[in-house]
């Protein structure tokens, strides 16, 4: 189906050109590349049309869009009190040197029925280990698909940012000696995780992070205000052949 914005068609040539631009900027190949290109073209068309209505002329398209957003998107710099509240409510994010040591048993699923069978096996072993945690190392040697299985599943000590997010979140939310009550699924498969050591790390003071935090939160407010402005443009436009998911 033809994609158009207020009666102006977005052609395949336009989409291919935008995809090429995205590739050259380092965006990865994949199903989302085309969608991202279409969304970029729709929003760009709306902003340039709005800039024309407001008689904004600032050189090239990027400068025109920048001038439009600067003129039309209003937000205020986040104050210190807001920064302090965020800091107090998210103190766990302002720790340095937080470390943990953990062991795991990895199960790598196949496709279809095989995947279901692997998960069922993993759940059965997890149930056994909840009743007998001392058997963890032996179970890891027998069942883990990770090379660490030879060491009883031991991964050694690591800090935040060194493991995939799902694994890290589970480890740093558990107390030493505990086994995660559920299988943890990551891109590698299903994990049974036992935390063996935790070092809470040192809390960075508010004064040390205040300026960076203020810049981050202010930027976040800017992004929210920009999204709200773009949502207004989208709702007022006639877009055919494509639905912008972020503004649906």
């Amino acid at each position: 189906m033809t994609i158009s914005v207020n009666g102006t068609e977005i052609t395949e040539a336009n989409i291919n050109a935008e995809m090429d631009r995205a590739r050259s900027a380092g965006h990865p190949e994949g199903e989302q590349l085309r969608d991202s290109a279409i969304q970029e073209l729709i929003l760009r068309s709306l902003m340039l049309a709005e800039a024309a209505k407001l008689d904004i002329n600032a050189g090239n398209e990027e400068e025109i869009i920048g001038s439009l957003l600067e003129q039309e998107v209003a937000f205020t710099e986040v104050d210190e009190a807001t920064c302090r509240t965020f800091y107090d409510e998210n103190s766990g994010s302002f720790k340095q040197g937080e470390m943990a040591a953990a062991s795991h048993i990895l199960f790598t699923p196949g496709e279809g029925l095989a995947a279901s069978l692997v998960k069922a096996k993993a759940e059965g072993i997890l149930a056994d280990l909840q009743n007998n945690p001392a058997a963890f190392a032996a179970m890891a040697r027998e069942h883990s698909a990770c090379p660490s299985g030879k060491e009883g599943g031991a991964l050694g000590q690591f800090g935040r940012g060194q493991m995939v997010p799902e694994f890290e979140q589970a480890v740093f939310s558990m107390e030493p000696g505990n086994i995660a009550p559920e299988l943890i699924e990551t891109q590698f498969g299903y994990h049974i995780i036992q935390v063996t050591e935790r070092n809470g790390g040192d809390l960075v003071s508010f004064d040390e992070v205040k300026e960076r935090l203020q810049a981050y939160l202010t930027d976040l407010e800017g992004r929210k205000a920009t999204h709200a402005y773009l949502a207004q443009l989208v709702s007022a436009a006639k877009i055919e052949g494509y639905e912008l998911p972020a503004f649906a």
Side-chain angles (χ1 to χ4, degrees), residues 78-94 206 209 213-214 216-217 220:
V78 172
D79 59 21
E80 184 172 327
T82 302
C83 293
R84 184 78 208 201
T85 298
F86 184 91
Y87 175 86
D88 291 339
E89 292 178 351
N90 299 274
S91 59
S93 299
F94 299 98
F206 175 69
V209 299
L213 183 56
Q214 185 177 39
Y216 165 75
L217 293 177
L220 192 61

Side-chain angles (χ1 to χ4, degrees), residues 18 50 64 118 132 165 183 228 235:
E18 180 59 29
E50 191 66 17
I64 291 172
V118 169
N132 183 20
L183 295 177
S235 65

Side-chain angles (χ1 to χ4, degrees), residues 4-244:
S4 66
V5 180
N6 291 328
T8 301
E9 182 181 354
I10 293 177
T11 67
E12 280 299 314
N14 297 145
I15 296 170
N16 290 333
E18 180 59 29
M19 289 173 67
D20 287 341
R21 187 201 63 78
R23 290 188 190 98
S24 67
H27 292 263
E29 292 284 353
E31 294 180 5
Q32 293 183 348
L33 184 62
R34 180 180 171 81
D35 275 336
S36 296
I38 294 171
Q39 292 163 21
E40 175 70 19
L41 290 168
I42 290 173
L43 294 175
R44 180 178 291 269
S45 175
L46 292 175
M47 287 187 284
L48 290 173
E50 191 66 17
K53 290 181 186 176
L54 298 172
D55 292 323
I56 295 175
N57 296 295
N60 61 39
E61 289 187 352
E62 295 299 330
E63 292 171 339
I64 291 172
I65 290 172
S67 297
L68 171 71
L69 295 178
E70 185 177 353
Q71 176 179 309
E72 297 297 307
V73 177
F75 63 97
T76 56
E77 185 176 70
V78 172
D79 59 21
E80 184 172 327
T82 302
C83 293
R84 184 78 208 201
T85 298
F86 184 91
Y87 175 86
D88 291 339
E89 292 178 351
N90 299 274
S91 59
S93 299
F94 299 98
K95 288 184 176 180
Q96 283 184 333
E98 190 173 11
M99 302 291 290
S103 298
H104 80 143
I105 304 173
L106 173 65
F107 301 85
T108 53
E111 299 293 334
L113 179 61
S116 299
L117 293 174
V118 169
K119 185 177 182 181
K121 175 183 177 181
E123 288 174 337
I125 292 173
L126 174 59
D128 290 341
L129 288 173
Q130 294 289 2
N131 294 321
N132 183 20
F136 194 99
M139 288 289 196
R141 292 187 185 94
E142 182 177 353
H143 298 288
S144 184
C146 178
S148 66
K150 296 177 182 179
E151 307 299 327
L155 295 169
Q157 195 174 65
F158 51 88
R160 284 190 180 273
Q162 293 182 257
M163 298 293 182
V164 292
E166 303 91 343
F167 193 96
E168 178 181 292
Q169 183 178 358
V171 169
F172 285 99
S173 65
M174 294 165 56
E175 294 300 319
N178 289 347
I179 294 175
E182 298 177 345
L183 295 177
I184 305 301
E185 185 176 1
T186 72
Q187 67 197 68
F188 302 108
Y190 301 107
H191 306 256
I192 299 175
I193 300 175
Q194 182 180 48
V195 175
T196 55
E197 183 182 337
R198 278 280 306 279
N199 179 342
D202 299 319
L203 185 65
V204 180
S205 72
F206 175 69
D207 286 339
E208 289 181 80
V209 299
K210 180 174 63 177
E211 290 185 6
R212 283 176 291 153
L213 183 56
Q214 185 177 39
Y216 165 75
L217 293 177
T218 297
D219 179 68
L220 192 61
E221 286 301 307
R223 291 174 183 271
K224 290 179 182 177
T226 300
H227 185 276
Y229 176 69
L230 293 176
Q232 291 178 2
L233 295 183
V234 170
S235 65
K238 184 179 181 181
I239 301 170
E240 297 181 296
Y242 191 86
E243 184 174 285
L244 285 165

